[in-house]
Structure formats: C-alpha cells, structure tokens
Short mmCIF file of all heavy atoms in Angstrom, two decimals:
data_model
loop_
_atom_site.label_atom_id
_atom_site.label_comp_id
_atom_site.label_asym_id
_atom_site.label_seq_id
_atom_site.Cartn_x
_atom_site.Cartn_y
_atom_site.Cartn_z
N MET A 1 0.88 -1.16 -0.06
CA MET A 1 -0.01 0.04 0.02
C MET A 1 0.88 1.27 0.06
O MET A 1 1.88 1.23 0.61
CB MET A 1 -0.91 -0.02 1.21
CG MET A 1 -1.77 1.12 1.33
SD MET A 1 -2.97 1.13 2.64
CE MET A 1 -4.00 -0.23 2.09
N SER A 2 0.52 2.21 -0.66
CA SER A 2 1.20 3.46 -0.76
C SER A 2 0.45 4.56 0.06
O SER A 2 -0.79 4.53 0.02
CB SER A 2 1.35 3.92 -2.25
OG SER A 2 2.10 2.95 -2.91
N TRP A 3 1.15 5.52 0.47
CA TRP A 3 0.54 6.70 1.27
C TRP A 3 0.94 8.00 0.79
O TRP A 3 2.13 8.19 0.39
CB TRP A 3 1.03 6.61 2.75
CG TRP A 3 0.43 5.48 3.54
CD1 TRP A 3 0.89 4.17 3.57
CD2 TRP A 3 -0.63 5.55 4.42
NE1 TRP A 3 0.21 3.49 4.44
CE2 TRP A 3 -0.78 4.30 5.02
CE3 TRP A 3 -1.45 6.58 4.86
CZ2 TRP A 3 -1.77 3.98 5.88
CZ3 TRP A 3 -2.44 6.25 5.82
CH2 TRP A 3 -2.58 4.96 6.24
N ILE A 4 0.08 8.94 0.77
CA ILE A 4 0.40 10.35 0.58
C ILE A 4 -0.32 11.14 1.72
O ILE A 4 -1.48 10.83 1.93
CB ILE A 4 -0.10 10.80 -0.73
CG1 ILE A 4 0.62 10.11 -1.89
CG2 ILE A 4 0.03 12.34 -0.88
CD1 ILE A 4 0.15 10.45 -3.25
N LEU A 5 0.39 12.04 2.32
CA LEU A 5 -0.22 12.86 3.30
C LEU A 5 -0.38 14.25 2.75
O LEU A 5 0.53 14.84 2.27
CB LEU A 5 0.78 12.91 4.53
CG LEU A 5 0.44 13.99 5.57
CD1 LEU A 5 -0.88 13.60 6.34
CD2 LEU A 5 1.60 14.19 6.54
N LEU A 6 -1.62 14.86 2.84
CA LEU A 6 -1.85 16.13 2.37
C LEU A 6 -2.10 17.02 3.54
O LEU A 6 -3.20 16.82 4.24
CB LEU A 6 -3.15 16.15 1.43
CG LEU A 6 -3.06 15.15 0.27
CD1 LEU A 6 -4.44 15.26 -0.47
CD2 LEU A 6 -1.95 15.64 -0.74
N ALA A 7 -1.23 17.86 3.90
CA ALA A 7 -1.36 18.69 5.17
C ALA A 7 -1.73 20.08 4.73
O ALA A 7 -1.01 20.79 4.05
CB ALA A 7 0.02 18.67 5.94
N ALA A 8 -2.94 20.42 5.26
CA ALA A 8 -3.51 21.78 4.95
C ALA A 8 -3.29 22.60 6.16
O ALA A 8 -3.54 22.21 7.35
CB ALA A 8 -4.88 21.72 4.54
N LEU A 9 -2.94 23.90 6.02
CA LEU A 9 -2.94 24.83 7.05
C LEU A 9 -1.81 24.42 8.12
O LEU A 9 -2.14 24.45 9.37
CB LEU A 9 -4.22 25.05 7.71
CG LEU A 9 -5.32 25.62 6.75
CD1 LEU A 9 -6.63 25.70 7.43
CD2 LEU A 9 -4.86 27.00 6.11
N ALA A 10 -0.74 23.94 7.77
CA ALA A 10 0.25 23.50 8.74
C ALA A 10 0.90 24.71 9.39
O ALA A 10 1.32 25.68 8.77
CB ALA A 10 1.40 22.68 8.04
N ALA A 11 0.97 24.63 10.82
CA ALA A 11 1.52 25.74 11.49
C ALA A 11 3.09 25.66 11.43
O ALA A 11 3.76 26.74 11.47
CB ALA A 11 1.12 25.57 13.02
N ALA A 12 3.64 24.53 11.33
CA ALA A 12 5.15 24.36 11.07
C ALA A 12 5.34 23.19 10.09
O ALA A 12 4.43 22.76 9.51
CB ALA A 12 5.69 23.97 12.37
N SER A 13 6.52 22.80 9.90
CA SER A 13 6.81 21.78 8.99
C SER A 13 6.22 20.46 9.56
O SER A 13 6.65 20.03 10.62
CB SER A 13 8.29 21.56 8.69
OG SER A 13 8.70 22.71 8.00
N PRO A 14 5.27 19.84 8.96
CA PRO A 14 4.77 18.57 9.45
C PRO A 14 5.91 17.42 9.48
O PRO A 14 6.77 17.40 8.61
CB PRO A 14 3.65 18.20 8.47
CG PRO A 14 3.39 19.38 7.71
CD PRO A 14 4.65 20.18 7.68
N SER A 15 5.76 16.58 10.47
CA SER A 15 6.59 15.45 10.63
C SER A 15 5.78 14.15 10.59
O SER A 15 4.77 14.14 11.43
CB SER A 15 7.43 15.53 11.91
OG SER A 15 8.16 14.41 12.18
N VAL A 16 6.05 13.17 9.79
CA VAL A 16 5.32 11.99 9.73
C VAL A 16 6.15 10.83 10.20
O VAL A 16 7.29 10.64 9.66
CB VAL A 16 4.77 11.71 8.36
CG1 VAL A 16 3.92 10.49 8.24
CG2 VAL A 16 4.05 12.93 7.74
N THR A 17 5.60 10.00 11.03
CA THR A 17 6.23 8.78 11.53
C THR A 17 5.44 7.62 11.40
O THR A 17 4.30 7.58 11.70
CB THR A 17 6.66 8.93 13.02
OG1 THR A 17 7.41 10.07 13.24
CG2 THR A 17 7.42 7.66 13.45
N PHE A 18 5.97 6.51 10.73
CA PHE A 18 5.20 5.30 10.48
C PHE A 18 5.87 4.19 11.45
O PHE A 18 7.10 4.13 11.60
CB PHE A 18 5.33 4.77 9.05
CG PHE A 18 4.76 5.58 8.04
CD1 PHE A 18 5.48 6.59 7.35
CD2 PHE A 18 3.39 5.44 7.70
CE1 PHE A 18 4.87 7.39 6.40
CE2 PHE A 18 2.76 6.22 6.82
CZ PHE A 18 3.46 7.26 6.15
N SER A 19 5.08 3.40 12.09
CA SER A 19 5.51 2.37 12.95
C SER A 19 4.53 1.23 12.78
O SER A 19 3.41 1.33 12.36
CB SER A 19 5.68 2.75 14.35
OG SER A 19 4.48 3.18 14.93
N GLY A 20 4.99 0.05 13.22
CA GLY A 20 4.13 -1.14 13.22
C GLY A 20 4.77 -2.27 12.38
O GLY A 20 6.02 -2.29 12.14
N GLU A 21 3.96 -3.06 11.75
CA GLU A 21 4.38 -4.24 10.98
C GLU A 21 4.95 -3.74 9.62
O GLU A 21 4.61 -2.67 9.17
CB GLU A 21 3.16 -5.11 10.74
CG GLU A 21 2.52 -5.75 11.92
CD GLU A 21 1.28 -6.53 11.65
OE1 GLU A 21 1.20 -7.08 10.54
OE2 GLU A 21 0.46 -6.71 12.49
N SER A 22 5.77 -4.62 9.09
CA SER A 22 6.19 -4.36 7.70
C SER A 22 5.10 -4.46 6.79
O SER A 22 4.11 -5.22 6.94
CB SER A 22 7.34 -5.38 7.38
OG SER A 22 8.42 -5.22 8.28
N CYS A 23 5.22 -3.86 5.59
CA CYS A 23 4.17 -3.93 4.58
C CYS A 23 4.29 -5.31 3.88
O CYS A 23 5.38 -5.80 3.64
CB CYS A 23 4.43 -2.83 3.52
SG CYS A 23 3.99 -1.15 4.12
N PRO A 24 3.20 -5.92 3.56
CA PRO A 24 1.84 -5.48 3.94
C PRO A 24 1.56 -5.77 5.36
O PRO A 24 2.02 -6.78 6.03
CB PRO A 24 0.93 -6.29 3.00
CG PRO A 24 1.69 -7.54 2.77
CD PRO A 24 3.20 -7.19 2.78
N GLY A 25 0.74 -4.95 6.07
CA GLY A 25 0.45 -5.14 7.46
C GLY A 25 -0.15 -3.87 7.98
O GLY A 25 -0.41 -2.97 7.24
N VAL A 26 -0.37 -3.91 9.26
CA VAL A 26 -0.94 -2.71 9.96
C VAL A 26 0.10 -1.74 10.30
O VAL A 26 1.12 -2.12 10.90
CB VAL A 26 -1.71 -3.14 11.23
CG1 VAL A 26 -2.29 -1.94 11.91
CG2 VAL A 26 -2.87 -4.16 10.90
N LEU A 27 -0.12 -0.53 9.95
CA LEU A 27 0.92 0.57 10.24
C LEU A 27 0.24 1.58 11.05
O LEU A 27 -0.92 1.97 10.91
CB LEU A 27 1.40 1.21 8.94
CG LEU A 27 2.20 0.36 7.99
CD1 LEU A 27 2.52 1.14 6.71
CD2 LEU A 27 3.59 -0.04 8.71
N ASP A 28 0.98 2.20 12.01
CA ASP A 28 0.49 3.34 12.79
C ASP A 28 1.13 4.60 12.18
O ASP A 28 2.41 4.53 11.86
CB ASP A 28 0.87 3.21 14.30
CG ASP A 28 0.16 2.10 14.96
OD1 ASP A 28 -1.05 1.98 14.79
OD2 ASP A 28 0.83 1.35 15.68
N VAL A 29 0.31 5.66 12.01
CA VAL A 29 0.85 6.87 11.43
C VAL A 29 0.70 7.94 12.43
O VAL A 29 -0.33 8.17 13.02
CB VAL A 29 0.12 7.24 10.19
CG1 VAL A 29 0.62 8.53 9.58
CG2 VAL A 29 0.07 6.08 9.14
N SER A 30 1.79 8.64 12.80
CA SER A 30 1.77 9.74 13.74
C SER A 30 2.26 10.96 12.98
O SER A 30 3.31 10.95 12.28
CB SER A 30 2.67 9.49 14.86
OG SER A 30 2.77 10.56 15.80
N VAL A 31 1.48 12.06 13.09
CA VAL A 31 1.86 13.28 12.35
C VAL A 31 1.85 14.42 13.45
O VAL A 31 0.95 14.60 14.21
CB VAL A 31 0.74 13.69 11.28
CG1 VAL A 31 1.20 14.92 10.55
CG2 VAL A 31 0.58 12.51 10.24
N THR A 32 2.94 15.25 13.42
CA THR A 32 3.01 16.34 14.23
C THR A 32 3.31 17.63 13.47
O THR A 32 3.70 17.49 12.25
CB THR A 32 4.12 16.18 15.36
OG1 THR A 32 5.44 15.96 14.63
CG2 THR A 32 3.89 15.01 16.19
N GLY A 33 3.16 18.80 13.99
CA GLY A 33 3.45 20.06 13.36
C GLY A 33 2.36 20.59 12.53
O GLY A 33 2.49 21.42 11.72
N LEU A 34 1.05 20.11 12.85
CA LEU A 34 -0.07 20.68 12.11
C LEU A 34 -0.78 21.70 12.92
O LEU A 34 -0.50 21.90 14.09
CB LEU A 34 -1.03 19.49 11.75
CG LEU A 34 -0.46 18.40 10.84
CD1 LEU A 34 -1.48 17.26 10.77
CD2 LEU A 34 -0.08 18.93 9.50
N THR A 35 -1.72 22.39 12.33
CA THR A 35 -2.45 23.48 13.06
C THR A 35 -3.41 22.75 14.08
O THR A 35 -4.20 21.90 13.66
CB THR A 35 -3.28 24.30 11.96
OG1 THR A 35 -2.45 24.85 11.13
CG2 THR A 35 -4.12 25.35 12.79
N PRO A 36 -3.38 23.22 15.31
CA PRO A 36 -4.25 22.68 16.30
C PRO A 36 -5.70 22.89 15.88
O PRO A 36 -6.06 23.98 15.46
CB PRO A 36 -3.88 23.49 17.54
CG PRO A 36 -2.54 23.93 17.31
CD PRO A 36 -2.41 24.18 15.95
N GLY A 37 -6.48 21.81 16.08
CA GLY A 37 -7.96 21.91 15.63
C GLY A 37 -8.13 22.01 14.23
O GLY A 37 -9.22 22.32 13.76
N GLY A 38 -7.18 21.69 13.37
CA GLY A 38 -7.29 21.74 11.94
C GLY A 38 -7.74 20.37 11.36
O GLY A 38 -8.25 19.57 12.00
N GLN A 39 -7.45 20.23 10.08
CA GLN A 39 -7.80 19.02 9.36
C GLN A 39 -6.60 18.50 8.55
O GLN A 39 -5.83 19.38 8.07
CB GLN A 39 -8.94 19.20 8.39
CG GLN A 39 -10.14 18.55 8.91
CD GLN A 39 -11.26 18.58 7.77
OE1 GLN A 39 -11.11 19.15 6.73
NE2 GLN A 39 -12.37 17.97 8.09
N VAL A 40 -6.41 17.18 8.39
CA VAL A 40 -5.44 16.71 7.62
C VAL A 40 -6.12 15.55 6.73
O VAL A 40 -7.05 14.93 7.23
CB VAL A 40 -4.27 16.09 8.40
CG1 VAL A 40 -4.75 14.95 9.27
CG2 VAL A 40 -3.14 15.65 7.57
N ALA A 41 -5.65 15.43 5.49
CA ALA A 41 -6.19 14.32 4.58
C ALA A 41 -5.13 13.35 4.33
O ALA A 41 -4.00 13.66 4.15
CB ALA A 41 -6.63 14.96 3.29
N PHE A 42 -5.52 12.10 4.45
CA PHE A 42 -4.66 10.98 4.15
C PHE A 42 -5.18 10.28 2.94
O PHE A 42 -6.39 10.07 2.67
CB PHE A 42 -4.69 9.94 5.29
CG PHE A 42 -3.98 10.36 6.52
CD1 PHE A 42 -4.68 10.98 7.55
CD2 PHE A 42 -2.68 10.20 6.67
CE1 PHE A 42 -4.14 11.42 8.68
CE2 PHE A 42 -1.96 10.53 7.81
CZ PHE A 42 -2.72 11.17 8.85
N VAL A 43 -4.31 9.96 1.98
CA VAL A 43 -4.70 9.33 0.77
C VAL A 43 -3.92 8.00 0.74
O VAL A 43 -2.65 7.98 0.87
CB VAL A 43 -4.30 10.14 -0.53
CG1 VAL A 43 -4.75 9.39 -1.75
CG2 VAL A 43 -4.96 11.48 -0.48
N THR A 44 -4.57 6.92 0.50
CA THR A 44 -3.91 5.59 0.40
C THR A 44 -4.34 5.09 -0.93
O THR A 44 -5.36 5.33 -1.54
CB THR A 44 -4.33 4.60 1.53
OG1 THR A 44 -5.78 4.32 1.44
CG2 THR A 44 -4.07 5.18 2.94
N GLY A 45 -3.49 4.13 -1.34
CA GLY A 45 -3.71 3.41 -2.62
C GLY A 45 -3.14 2.04 -2.59
O GLY A 45 -2.38 1.70 -1.76
N SER A 46 -3.60 1.29 -3.60
CA SER A 46 -3.14 -0.16 -3.66
C SER A 46 -1.75 -0.28 -4.21
O SER A 46 -1.13 -1.28 -4.27
CB SER A 46 -4.03 -1.03 -4.43
OG SER A 46 -4.25 -0.49 -5.70
N GLY A 47 -1.18 0.86 -4.71
CA GLY A 47 0.20 0.91 -5.29
C GLY A 47 0.38 2.12 -6.06
O GLY A 47 -0.50 3.07 -6.09
N VAL A 48 1.51 2.21 -6.73
CA VAL A 48 1.83 3.42 -7.54
C VAL A 48 1.01 3.39 -8.82
O VAL A 48 0.73 2.31 -9.40
CB VAL A 48 3.31 3.45 -7.89
CG1 VAL A 48 3.72 4.57 -8.83
CG2 VAL A 48 4.19 3.51 -6.69
N GLY A 49 0.48 4.55 -9.29
CA GLY A 49 -0.35 4.59 -10.41
C GLY A 49 -0.66 6.01 -10.73
O GLY A 49 0.15 6.92 -10.46
N SER A 50 -1.68 6.21 -11.52
CA SER A 50 -2.04 7.58 -11.95
C SER A 50 -3.56 7.83 -11.89
O SER A 50 -4.02 8.68 -12.64
CB SER A 50 -1.51 7.79 -13.38
OG SER A 50 -2.14 6.88 -14.27
N ASP A 51 -4.19 7.20 -10.97
CA ASP A 51 -5.69 7.36 -10.87
C ASP A 51 -5.92 8.70 -10.11
O ASP A 51 -5.19 9.20 -9.27
CB ASP A 51 -6.32 6.23 -10.07
CG ASP A 51 -6.25 4.93 -10.69
OD1 ASP A 51 -6.09 4.94 -11.96
OD2 ASP A 51 -6.39 3.86 -10.09
N ALA A 52 -7.04 9.28 -10.41
CA ALA A 52 -7.41 10.64 -9.88
C ALA A 52 -7.93 10.48 -8.50
O ALA A 52 -8.45 9.46 -8.04
CB ALA A 52 -8.60 11.33 -10.80
N LEU A 53 -7.78 11.60 -7.70
CA LEU A 53 -8.31 11.62 -6.33
C LEU A 53 -9.82 11.62 -6.42
O LEU A 53 -10.41 12.19 -7.36
CB LEU A 53 -7.93 12.94 -5.64
CG LEU A 53 -6.40 12.99 -5.29
CD1 LEU A 53 -6.00 14.37 -4.72
CD2 LEU A 53 -6.02 11.94 -4.20
N PRO A 54 -10.52 10.90 -5.48
CA PRO A 54 -11.87 10.67 -5.68
C PRO A 54 -12.83 11.86 -5.27
O PRO A 54 -13.89 11.91 -5.65
CB PRO A 54 -12.20 9.47 -4.78
CG PRO A 54 -11.06 9.55 -3.71
CD PRO A 54 -9.87 10.07 -4.48
N ALA A 55 -12.36 12.73 -4.38
CA ALA A 55 -13.19 13.79 -3.89
C ALA A 55 -12.37 14.89 -3.26
O ALA A 55 -11.24 14.86 -3.34
CB ALA A 55 -14.15 13.24 -2.81
N GLY A 56 -13.09 15.91 -2.62
CA GLY A 56 -12.46 17.02 -2.06
C GLY A 56 -12.12 18.09 -3.04
O GLY A 56 -12.36 18.03 -4.18
N VAL A 57 -11.39 19.17 -2.57
CA VAL A 57 -11.06 20.26 -3.34
C VAL A 57 -10.06 19.89 -4.47
O VAL A 57 -9.92 20.61 -5.50
CB VAL A 57 -10.51 21.48 -2.56
CG1 VAL A 57 -11.55 22.03 -1.59
CG2 VAL A 57 -9.23 21.13 -1.72
N CYS A 58 -9.37 18.76 -4.29
CA CYS A 58 -8.46 18.24 -5.28
C CYS A 58 -8.93 17.19 -6.10
O CYS A 58 -8.27 16.41 -6.82
CB CYS A 58 -7.08 17.94 -4.63
SG CYS A 58 -6.30 19.23 -3.83
N GLY A 59 -10.30 16.86 -5.97
CA GLY A 59 -10.93 15.78 -6.66
C GLY A 59 -10.67 15.82 -8.10
O GLY A 59 -10.78 16.86 -8.73
N GLY A 60 -10.30 14.75 -8.71
CA GLY A 60 -10.00 14.63 -10.15
C GLY A 60 -8.52 14.83 -10.46
O GLY A 60 -8.08 14.56 -11.58
N ALA A 61 -7.71 15.38 -9.49
CA ALA A 61 -6.29 15.52 -9.69
C ALA A 61 -5.58 14.17 -9.66
O ALA A 61 -5.96 13.27 -8.95
CB ALA A 61 -5.74 16.41 -8.68
N ASP A 62 -4.50 14.06 -10.44
CA ASP A 62 -3.75 12.86 -10.46
C ASP A 62 -3.14 12.65 -9.08
O ASP A 62 -2.51 13.46 -8.52
CB ASP A 62 -2.59 12.99 -11.47
CG ASP A 62 -1.69 11.80 -11.63
OD1 ASP A 62 -1.99 10.75 -10.92
OD2 ASP A 62 -0.67 11.88 -12.27
N SER A 63 -3.34 11.39 -8.54
CA SER A 63 -2.91 11.09 -7.16
C SER A 63 -1.55 10.53 -7.11
O SER A 63 -0.85 10.44 -6.04
CB SER A 63 -3.86 10.16 -6.54
OG SER A 63 -3.84 8.83 -7.18
N GLY A 64 -1.07 9.89 -8.19
CA GLY A 64 0.18 9.16 -8.22
C GLY A 64 0.03 7.75 -7.65
O GLY A 64 0.96 7.13 -7.37
N LEU A 65 -1.23 7.37 -7.28
CA LEU A 65 -1.64 6.12 -6.73
C LEU A 65 -2.59 5.35 -7.64
O LEU A 65 -3.29 5.93 -8.40
CB LEU A 65 -2.19 6.27 -5.35
CG LEU A 65 -1.29 7.02 -4.28
CD1 LEU A 65 -2.14 7.29 -3.05
CD2 LEU A 65 -0.17 6.06 -4.01
N GLU A 66 -2.60 4.09 -7.40
CA GLU A 66 -3.71 3.15 -8.09
C GLU A 66 -4.77 3.02 -7.01
O GLU A 66 -4.58 2.77 -5.80
CB GLU A 66 -3.06 1.78 -8.30
CG GLU A 66 -3.96 0.86 -9.02
CD GLU A 66 -3.31 -0.49 -9.36
OE1 GLU A 66 -2.18 -0.42 -9.77
OE2 GLU A 66 -3.93 -1.49 -9.02
N SER A 67 -6.03 3.23 -7.44
CA SER A 67 -7.23 3.03 -6.63
C SER A 67 -7.16 3.91 -5.24
O SER A 67 -7.26 3.35 -4.20
CB SER A 67 -7.43 1.59 -6.24
OG SER A 67 -7.67 0.79 -7.38
N PRO A 68 -6.91 5.11 -5.34
CA PRO A 68 -6.78 5.97 -4.23
C PRO A 68 -8.06 6.10 -3.37
O PRO A 68 -9.10 6.12 -3.91
CB PRO A 68 -6.42 7.38 -4.75
CG PRO A 68 -7.00 7.43 -6.08
CD PRO A 68 -7.00 5.97 -6.63
N ARG A 69 -7.89 6.13 -2.06
CA ARG A 69 -8.96 6.30 -1.10
C ARG A 69 -8.59 7.55 -0.24
O ARG A 69 -7.38 7.62 0.18
CB ARG A 69 -9.13 5.08 -0.25
CG ARG A 69 -9.67 3.90 -0.99
CD ARG A 69 -9.78 2.63 -0.22
NE ARG A 69 -8.52 2.25 0.38
CZ ARG A 69 -7.60 1.50 -0.23
NH1 ARG A 69 -7.85 1.10 -1.47
NH2 ARG A 69 -6.51 1.11 0.42
N LEU A 70 -9.56 8.42 0.08
CA LEU A 70 -9.24 9.63 0.77
C LEU A 70 -9.96 9.67 2.17
O LEU A 70 -11.09 9.23 2.23
CB LEU A 70 -9.77 10.80 -0.09
CG LEU A 70 -9.53 12.23 0.36
CD1 LEU A 70 -8.01 12.54 0.37
CD2 LEU A 70 -10.29 13.14 -0.65
N ALA A 71 -9.34 10.02 3.21
CA ALA A 71 -9.81 10.14 4.53
C ALA A 71 -9.32 11.48 5.11
O ALA A 71 -8.20 11.83 5.05
CB ALA A 71 -9.40 8.99 5.39
N PHE A 72 -10.34 12.21 5.75
CA PHE A 72 -9.99 13.46 6.41
C PHE A 72 -10.07 13.22 7.92
O PHE A 72 -10.99 12.57 8.38
CB PHE A 72 -11.08 14.59 6.00
CG PHE A 72 -10.97 14.93 4.66
CD1 PHE A 72 -11.75 14.42 3.66
CD2 PHE A 72 -10.06 16.04 4.24
CE1 PHE A 72 -11.68 14.81 2.40
CE2 PHE A 72 -9.93 16.43 3.03
CZ PHE A 72 -10.78 15.81 1.96
N VAL A 73 -9.11 13.76 8.64
CA VAL A 73 -8.98 13.61 10.09
C VAL A 73 -8.77 14.89 10.76
O VAL A 73 -7.94 15.68 10.27
CB VAL A 73 -7.84 12.61 10.45
CG1 VAL A 73 -7.76 12.45 12.01
CG2 VAL A 73 -8.01 11.28 9.78
N ALA A 74 -9.50 15.21 11.89
CA ALA A 74 -9.33 16.43 12.61
C ALA A 74 -8.09 16.28 13.49
O ALA A 74 -7.79 15.24 14.09
CB ALA A 74 -10.50 16.64 13.51
N THR A 75 -7.27 17.35 13.55
CA THR A 75 -6.08 17.23 14.44
C THR A 75 -6.62 17.58 15.89
O THR A 75 -7.60 18.28 16.13
CB THR A 75 -5.04 18.32 13.98
OG1 THR A 75 -5.59 19.64 14.04
CG2 THR A 75 -4.59 18.04 12.59
N ASP A 76 -5.74 17.21 16.88
CA ASP A 76 -6.09 17.42 18.24
C ASP A 76 -5.63 18.84 18.61
O ASP A 76 -5.09 19.65 17.83
CB ASP A 76 -5.44 16.32 19.18
CG ASP A 76 -4.01 16.36 19.11
OD1 ASP A 76 -3.25 17.30 18.62
OD2 ASP A 76 -3.39 15.42 19.58
N SER A 77 -5.72 19.23 19.87
CA SER A 77 -5.30 20.41 20.46
C SER A 77 -3.80 20.81 20.36
O SER A 77 -3.44 21.95 20.46
CB SER A 77 -5.73 20.73 21.81
OG SER A 77 -5.27 19.73 22.66
N ASP A 78 -3.03 19.86 20.11
CA ASP A 78 -1.56 19.95 19.90
C ASP A 78 -1.16 20.14 18.44
O ASP A 78 0.03 20.46 18.16
CB ASP A 78 -0.80 18.80 20.54
CG ASP A 78 -0.93 18.70 21.98
OD1 ASP A 78 -1.01 19.80 22.65
OD2 ASP A 78 -0.97 17.63 22.48
N GLY A 79 -2.12 19.80 17.47
CA GLY A 79 -1.83 19.89 16.13
C GLY A 79 -1.14 18.68 15.65
O GLY A 79 -0.32 18.64 14.74
#
C-alpha cells in the first residue's frame, strides 16, 4: 500500500512517523506540526499509479496512486 499525506494549514513543517508491521500489514501513522484543531487528509492506494483523487477540493487531480482512497481527520489541540 502507498501513502500520501496532504497537510493543509500546517503551523510548522509537518513530521510523519510510521511504525508497526512491515508492509503489507498494519501501520500506525503519527503526524506532528499541524495546526491545532485543523484537518489533515490521508490518501492511500493499492500501489503506484495515476488514478485521480476521488473527492475534495483536489478531486480529479492525479494522485500518483492506484485506486486511491481519501480520509479526512481532525487534528487534536496539539496539532
């Protein structure tokens, strides 16, 4: 599985950490340096490709992934 992190309104440079099982498997994703109370979008796909993003303000844009899926998550009070 491939990942792309789309960080909107970042207060500082975002930092992304992956931990957990080797691919394929369950991974934990930790992101810091975002705007407190903001939103972040995660895009996952089944591999490298050129399928379009399915929705959102960037819907229809080339994702760089095959079969992309988009999820929006609210950031906590620490960002």
Side-chain angles (χ1 to χ4, degrees):
M1 179 174 294
S2 299
W3 288 81
I4 294 177
L5 169 70
L6 304 174
L9 302 175
S13 297
S15 174
V16 181
T17 305
F18 294 93
S19 61
E21 299 177 26
S22 298
C23 289
V26 177
L27 295 174
D28 292 316
V29 180
S30 176
V31 183
T32 59
L34 299 174
T35 301
Q39 249 189 359
V40 63
F42 290 92
V43 181
T44 63
S46 57
V48 176
S50 60
D51 293 342
L53 291 171
V57 296
C58 296
D62 180 7
S63 69
L65 299 172
E66 182 179 319
S67 303
R69 293 175 301 274
L70 183 64
F72 293 92
V73 179
T75 62
D76 64 16
S77 60
D78 295 324

